[in-house]
């Protein structure tokens, strides 16, 4: 089954836990946590304290997407704050494999992500080392942008590579996903779907999550 990873970046932060409470009693297993440092991307989101505070109140798998420079400096602190997977950007560090190994040494999942303009070939050798590859289908930094259609070709190419090499790496997609376009990213080969504004930006958060799972049921992997 495809999994949904709603991005809390689109929550009303003055009611963060209230928004998360509206996701309860659905099939949801994970949430997506976007950390931005204002340097790697032109936006600043939140850090350890926010993650720790929601960790204590939510059992979800914390899918943590670091859009920060030199992430190796902070891996332990994100793990301590409650991350279950830490995904780093290929472009954010000199030696992505060192960071991936550090994440794995702490007993949590590791992911690799790349900007829409970064060549896919750069990350292929890393796929055997990670639990997930996060395909950015918008320029990282902000929620609510439009899906870049050429991301579908990237997903197809990754699906092909992962299947041919028999790798366990999941394909996750992030940016511009809505109930109206999610079926085509699943058909292209995605296992995990990030969606921010189309879930937490909507009045009926729970109803939106249920809509996604209805679509997943019709598009089995
Ligand atoms: C963008 C973030 C995304 C974002 C997705 O840099 O990585 O996770 O929150 O938001 P939507 O679904 O609104 O494009
Ligand atoms: Zn993200």
């Amino acid at each position: 089954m495809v999994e949904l990873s709603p991005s809390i970046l689109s929550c009303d932060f003055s009611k963060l836990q209230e928004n998360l409470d509206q996701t309860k009693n659905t099939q949801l297993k994970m949430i997506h946590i976007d950390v931005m440092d204002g340097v790697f991307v032109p936006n600043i989101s939140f850090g350890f304290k926010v993650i720790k505070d929601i960790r204590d109140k939510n059992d979800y798998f914390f899918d943590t997407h670091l859009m920060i420079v030199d992430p190796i400096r902070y891996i332990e602190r994100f793990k301590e704050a409650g991350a279950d997977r830490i995904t780093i950007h290929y472009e954010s560090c000199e030696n992505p494999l060192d960071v991936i190994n550090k994440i794995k040494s702490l007993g949590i999942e590791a992911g690799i992500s790349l900007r829409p303009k970064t060549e896919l070939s750069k990350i292929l050798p890393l796929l055997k080392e990670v639990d997930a590859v996060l395909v950015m289908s918008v320029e990282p930094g902000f929620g609510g942008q439009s899906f870049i259609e050429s991301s579908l070709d990237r997903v197809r190419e990754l699906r092909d590579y992962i299947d041919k090499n028999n790798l366990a790496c999941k394909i996750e997609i992030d940016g511009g996903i809505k109930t109206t376009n999610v079926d085509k990213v699943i058909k292209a080969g995605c296992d995990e779907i990030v969606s921010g504004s189309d879930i937490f930006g909507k009045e009926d958060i729970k109803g939106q999550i249920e809509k996604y799972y209805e679509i997943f049921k019709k598009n089995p992997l």
Side-chain angles (χ1 to χ4, degrees):
M1 178 82 148
V2 181
E3 288 301 337
L4 183 65
S5 194
S7 169
I8 64 166
L9 188 66
S10 292
C11 287
D12 176 344
F13 288 158
S14 71
K15 306 187 215 165
L16 181 53
Q17 188 54 41
E18 279 170 54
N19 283 183
L20 285 168
D21 284 341
Q22 291 177 59
T23 68
K24 302 280 163 74
N25 302 314
T26 63
Q27 292 182 66
L28 194 65
K29 296 186 183 65
M30 65 202 286
I31 56 172
H32 187 80
I33 298 178
D34 286 308
V35 178
M36 304 177 180
D37 67 353
V39 180
F40 183 71
V41 289
N43 197 10
I44 298 177
S45 56
F46 50 77
F48 314 112
K49 173 94 168 41
V50 170
I51 300 173
K52 172 87 181 61
D53 287 353
I54 58 168
R55 176 74 287 176
D56 296 339
K57 295 193 167 70
N58 303 277
D59 282 336
Y60 297 126
F61 182 90
F62 275 18
D63 170 32
T64 312
H65 177 194
L66 299 188
M67 288 161 273
I68 67 173
V69 166
D70 278 337
I72 200 152
R73 298 172 294 163
Y74 293 114
I75 298 304
E76 271 121 350
R77 300 219 21 220
F78 282 110
K79 146 87 183 166
E80 277 160 28
D84 294 300
R85 176 193 294 156
I86 297 179
T87 296
I88 57 148
H89 267 264
Y90 174 80
E91 309 86 356
S92 69
C93 44
E94 294 249 312
N95 236 316
L97 186 56
D98 287 351
V99 192
I100 289 164
N101 285 334
K102 170 122 197 179
I103 298 167
K104 291 200 294 191
S105 76
L106 299 176
I108 57 174
E109 291 192 11
I112 185 81
S113 186
L114 75 172
R115 294 181 184 277
K117 291 192 187 92
T118 302
E119 272 172 57
L120 207 52
S121 58
K122 303 251 200 258
I123 58 135
L124 295 180
L126 292 170
L127 297 185
K128 61 178 186 310
E129 318 289 345
V130 293
D131 299 281
V133 54
L134 178 66
V135 177
M136 287 310 300
S137 43
V138 297
E139 200 52 57
F142 300 91
Q145 305 179 73
S146 303
F147 181 77
I148 299 172
E149 291 292 327
S150 54
S151 315
L152 292 171
D153 287 335
R154 281 154 91 80
V155 171
R156 286 186 202 105
E157 197 178 327
L158 282 167
R159 181 80 276 153
D160 199 50
Y161 182 90
I162 288 169
D163 291 350
K164 275 195 183 127
N165 292 282
N166 218 357
L167 304 179
C169 177
K170 300 246 172 68
I171 303 176
E172 184 175 23
I173 192 150
D174 185 5
I177 305 291
K178 304 196 177 312
T179 52
T180 48
N181 64 8
V182 68
D183 56 335
K184 65 184 178 190
V185 301
I186 299 170
K187 286 188 177 106
C190 284
D191 306 284
E192 295 175 347
I193 309 291
V194 177
S195 177
S197 49
D198 196 43
I199 294 180
F200 289 115
K202 295 280 166 123
E203 204 55 49
D204 183 7
I205 292 171
K206 186 171 179 202
Q208 277 301 105
I209 292 172
E210 285 164 351
K211 262 193 216 165
Y212 274 93
Y213 277 99
E214 279 305 308
I215 299 168
F216 297 169
K217 239 199 282 171
K218 288 186 198 134
N219 292 276
L221 281 182

